[in-house]
Amino acid sequence: MTFDEFVAARLPALVRYATALTGDPHSAQEIVQHVMVKLHARWRRITRSEVPELYVRRAITHEFLSWRRRWTVRHQPGMSAESADSARVWQHLSGLSRQQRAVLVLTYYEGLQENEIAELLGCTLGTVRSHKSRALASLRGALADPALTAEEPR
């Protein structure tokens, strides 16, 4: 598969994946574009691997984890309770460490197993489990905190 064919076929899925990592579609597009520019020159070598998409996703994950800019998650005010809940979840996800957020996205969005995540992130299985446990505990605590759901006094 040529680079152009791969991009034509997989770009939307890669941007969705990066959006799940960043919480921001504009930052996601920037990361994917940056990674694809870097990988273009090495494409022949990358296609020799059995699963070039895994290689590209790993590069996107590493780019996200090493990104130096401050990320912000932009939300439009929602009209429904569901969109408000979604905004709260994204707000709390953005407060997690990049590694914790990456583990949650790879687990729940990508459906990867812990050993696959450890391989993808280049860390131990225990590190993946620790990031996942701490991230979920943080989200549970933040989302269950009644002070976060109470209206401000008028």
Side-chain angles (χ1 to χ4, degrees):
M1 176 180 284
T2 69
F3 181 79
D4 291 338
E5 291 169 340
F6 178 82
V7 170
R10 301 305 305 151
L11 187 63
L14 295 171
V15 172
R16 281 192 307 272
Y17 170 65
T19 301
L21 285 173
T22 64
D24 176 36
H26 300 289
S27 298
Q29 289 174 353
E30 199 171 326
I31 285 176
V32 171
Q33 179 181 0
H34 182 75
V35 166
M36 297 311 288
V37 166
K38 289 190 331 188
L39 297 182
H40 182 264
R42 299 181 296 195
W43 191 248
R44 283 189 193 170
R45 191 183 76 188
I46 292 167
T47 57
R48 289 184 201 138
S49 72
E50 289 184 27
V51 188
E53 184 165 354
L54 181 59
Y55 187 96
V56 174
R57 285 179 184 265
R58 182 176 297 151
I60 289 169
T61 303
H62 286 286
E63 184 67 23
F64 164 72
L65 292 173
S66 66
W67 197 260
R68 302 223 184 264
R69 296 183 197 170
R70 184 138 175 88
W71 292 91
T72 59
V73 178
R74 299 176 192 119
H75 297 287
Q76 298 297 325
M79 301 305 279
S80 69
E82 183 177 308
S83 63
D85 287 343
S86 177
R88 285 183 58 225
V89 169
W90 274 113
Q91 177 185 2
H92 295 298
L93 278 172
S94 69
L96 297 175
S97 75
R98 293 175 195 268
Q99 292 82 4
Q100 289 175 347
R101 193 174 349 156
V103 167
L104 291 184
V105 167
L106 292 168
T107 301
Y108 298 106
Y109 183 78
E110 290 294 314
L112 297 181
Q113 300 297 314
E114 289 175 341
N115 60 332
E116 295 170 312
I117 296 169
E119 182 182 336
L120 184 68
L121 297 180
C123 63
T124 66
L125 189 58
T127 300
V128 170
R129 289 178 178 157
S130 175
H131 285 317
K132 184 177 177 182
S133 175
R134 289 179 180 163
L136 291 174
S138 176
L139 287 175
R140 280 186 200 108
L143 294 174
D145 185 352
L148 294 175
T149 59
E151 289 187 38
E152 294 182 332
R154 294 184 182 191

